[in-house]
Amino acid sequence: KQQGNSLWYKSPFRQETEASFKVNSDRNLWFDYGLCRGGNIIALAQELYASDHVPYLLNKIAEQAPHIRPVSFYFRQQASEPSFQHLEVEELTHPALLRYLQERGIDIALAKLECRELHFVHNGKPYFAIGFPNVAGGYEVRNRFFKGCIAPKDISHIRQHGEPREKCLVFEGMTDYLSFLTLRMKNCPAIANLDGQDYVILNSVANVSKAIDVLHGYERIHCLLDNDEAGRRAYWELEREFAGRIRDFSDNYKGHKDLNDYLCGKRQELVISPPSRTIVKPKKKGLGL
């Protein structure tokens, strides 16, 4: 069935009587509400064929829909030298990367669980960096001297095991997410299981639209975005979509640009009070979450 720009299908991943698989015809993205997972056509092929090998996935897409010709597109793209080459993904262990995280106040043990160590060639030169995976198979890339991404660019969606969660926390970037985990561990060290919610990391405020389908599966949405104009615009865009079930927690680190600055005690030189945002003040020391 069709509702505006949304096309609804029975999921290809299970037997069902009611359609729960949505395709947005404007953005060419899908979302499965049973899996709480979605993305582009490559992400769909990854789920269907249980593989991350892009050439194999493109061949499978071409077999099912030869008029799309993704294989031809892929090889045209490969005709020019790619920016990132010879990517190797390892456990995060390099001392220089761990020192960088420590300087940002991030707990190393937590970072090792969430991140990877990447080795690659960029513009003919070898690099190593911290890699934070996204839902489309790409990585956010960080080290002391480099900030970028290995395509495809997309959001990251961290889901807990077991029953689906009602609450999701939204962050702008990987450093904010890791800072939150570090702060939570410091403030609640005696609590064994703190994962009562899922997480969405935008990896760029330009990815807000990509997060909307994922966030529709949650009853409560808590935003911990940056205290700047870009963070305010991102929150307002989400509030228009989720009015009544979204809350802004950025006032809990007012005077700091973001959660990592709050963690490190680095204050803004100029604090601009955001107008008319819904503020939830914590009941006790910490972030009130």
Side-chain angles (χ1 to χ4, degrees):
K1 62 183 178 181
Q2 182 171 0
Q3 296 176 338
N5 61 0
S6 297
L7 309 177
W8 290 87
Y9 300 89
K10 294 179 181 178
S11 174
F13 303 113
R14 60 188 170 277
Q15 295 292 323
E16 59 183 11
T17 56
E18 296 292 330
S20 65
F21 184 94
K22 184 174 78 170
V23 174
N24 186 304
S25 58
D26 285 347
R27 301 202 297 266
N28 286 323
L29 298 174
W30 62 276
F31 189 80
D32 189 299
Y33 284 90
L35 290 179
C36 287
R37 194 175 304 165
N40 58 19
I41 191 172
I42 300 298
L44 177 60
Q46 286 176 318
E47 296 290 339
L48 289 171
Y49 301 111
S51 173
D52 293 325
H53 187 54
V54 174
Y56 167 76
L57 298 175
L58 291 170
N59 283 327
K60 299 300 290 187
I61 294 170
E63 290 174 4
Q64 297 295 325
H67 59 285
I68 293 178
R69 302 302 299 162
V71 174
S72 298
F73 172 79
Y74 173 72
F75 285 111
R76 283 201 301 272
Q77 292 291 94
Q78 294 301 304
S80 60
E81 193 73 6
S83 180
F84 293 90
Q85 297 175 285
H86 309 301
L87 175 64
E88 297 180 5
V89 182
E90 304 173 359
E91 183 181 351
L92 180 57
T93 59
H94 198 287
L97 300 178
L98 300 182
R99 283 196 300 270
Y100 168 71
L101 290 169
Q102 287 177 322
E103 291 169 5
R104 302 294 296 268
I106 304 298
D107 182 85
I108 297 301
L110 290 172
K112 286 184 175 182
L113 292 174
E114 304 290 337
C115 302
R116 299 293 179 266
E117 182 175 314
L118 306 182
H119 291 257
F120 54 89
V121 175
H122 178 57
N123 293 333
K125 297 181 180 180
Y127 290 89
F128 60 91
I130 300 163
F132 185 70
N134 65 38
V135 298
Y139 288 91
E140 293 298 303
V141 181
R142 299 287 187 277
N143 64 28
R144 189 187 306 277
F145 309 105
F146 185 89
K147 179 179 180 180
C149 78
I150 294 177
K153 181 84 170 180
D154 213 321
I155 66 170
S156 301
H157 187 197
I158 313 297
R159 293 172 298 153
Q160 310 304 329
H161 297 294
E163 294 296 321
R165 309 293 166 152
E166 294 183 355
K167 183 170 69 174
C168 185
L169 274 56
V170 181
F171 302 90
E172 192 165 319
M174 57 169 279
T175 307
D176 299 316
Y177 169 62
L178 295 174
S179 297
F180 171 81
L181 296 182
T182 300
L183 285 163
R184 189 184 60 175
M185 185 188 67
K186 289 181 176 180
N187 292 332
C188 309
I191 301 178
N193 182 14
L194 294 168
D195 288 321
Q197 62 274 318
D198 292 347
Y199 306 95
V200 163
I201 299 88
L202 299 176
N203 294 321
S204 169
V205 291
N207 284 337
V208 169
S209 61
K210 296 181 180 180
I212 287 177
D213 280 340
V214 171
L215 292 173
H216 269 296
Y218 296 95
E219 294 297 322
R220 293 178 292 157
I221 302 164
H222 292 178
C223 291
L224 296 96
L225 304 175
D226 289 4
N227 277 319
D228 58 14
E229 186 60 30
R232 288 190 283 274
R233 286 198 303 267
Y235 176 78
W236 291 332
E237 187 174 347
L238 291 170
E239 187 181 43
R240 283 195 297 269
E241 186 75 24
F242 301 108
R245 51 181 168 139
I246 187 170
R247 292 182 176 182
D248 178 14
F249 278 82
S250 65
D251 196 53
N252 292 309
Y253 43 96
K254 184 177 180 180
H256 305 269
K257 180 183 179 295
D258 55 31
L259 265 178
N260 187 247
D261 279 4
Y262 174 77
L263 172 63
C264 298
K266 181 180 177 181
R267 299 188 66 85
Q268 288 176 302
E269 294 182 6
L270 177 64
V271 179
I272 302 175
S273 298
S276 65
R277 295 171 81 181
T278 304
I279 304 299
V280 179
K281 295 184 178 180
K283 296 181 180 178
K284 57 184 179 180
K285 183 178 179 181
L287 293 174
L289 296 171

